Amino acid sequence: MPKNILTPGRRPSVTRQHKIALAGVATLGAAALAFSAVPGNAQTTTTAEPAAAQVAFKTEQIKDVKASVTDQLANASLKAEAIAAEKKAAADAAAKKKAEAQKKAAAEAAAKKKAEQARKAKEAASRSAARPQAKPVAVKKTYANNLDGWIKEALAIMDKHNIPGTYNGLHRNIIRESSGNPNAINNWDINAQNGVPSIGLLQVIKPTFDAYHVPGTAWSQYDPVANLTAAANYAADRYGSIDNVNSAY
């Protein structure tokens, strides 16, 4: 074990290092004494002011951070709204442009159709003017040049002039009067003696033929159709119809 350097009755020697250490202890003691000598309220004031300033500083920092976040959120919202507005404006512009294009296309199509119709109408009018429509030509019905044909033609004319009579009525009286000979002539009866002999299919005298002649037929007693229609017209006036004649009339 180390030797006891402290011998009773003997003071140890103080070295330079010991002196320095003692001086430091003395200085620390003086400082402690001076700190303890400060009044209680002064001590509170000295230590409280830095703490309050620190709290206020932190509060201001929080407020600044909160305001910054709020501003950032507001800016982001405004930016989003601006983007949405721009998109909507672009969509509206595109829709308007499309509608205008469709309207223009429809107008062009309508104009083209109208022009085409006008062109066709003009061409049709030009063709009509260049080639006038021919008037329908009435086809005249022809009849056989025999007793059957004469009776049928006479009946057609009688029908136009509302003269009654039938094929049978004409045919029956023709056979009795002339046997179907259009050139037959009676030179022996009273009419012949008076200078107006009975002539033709139905043996008509000149005064009777002239009085009952039917327009559109020949002015000859020997013409078969003229003779038949005049005689039928006379019979209708006197007897109601040629069908009612069964003897000399």
Side-chain angles (χ1 to χ4, degrees), residues 202-225:
L202 286 177
Q203 292 294 285
V204 182
I205 62 176
K206 179 66 173 173
T208 301
F209 179 83
D210 291 343
Y212 291 94
H213 174 262
V214 177
T217 61
W219 279 94
S220 172
Q221 292 168 267
Y222 291 99
D223 182 83
V225 176

Side-chain angles (χ1 to χ4, degrees), residues 4 6-11:
N4 188 358
L6 296 178
T7 304
R10 189 181 176 183
R11 295 180 62 184

Side-chain angles (χ1 to χ4, degrees), residues 89-108:
D92 292 343
K96 183 178 180 181
K97 186 176 181 181
K98 183 178 180 181
E100 290 177 351
Q102 291 176 344
K103 185 177 180 181
K104 183 178 180 181
E108 290 177 351

Side-chain angles (χ1 to χ4, degrees), residues 87-145:
K87 289 182 178 180
K88 185 177 184 302
D92 292 343
K96 183 178 180 181
K97 186 176 181 181
K98 183 178 180 181
E100 290 177 351
Q102 291 176 344
K103 185 177 180 181
K104 183 178 180 181
E108 290 177 351
K112 185 177 180 181
K113 183 177 180 181
K114 186 176 181 180
E116 181 66 15
Q117 291 176 344
R119 183 186 65 79
K120 290 181 177 179
K122 185 176 181 181
E123 289 179 354
S126 178
R127 286 194 298 268
S128 298
R131 185 180 59 192
Q133 294 181 351
K135 295 181 179 179
V137 178
V139 178
K140 185 177 180 180
K141 188 175 181 178
T142 58
Y143 298 91
N145 188 26

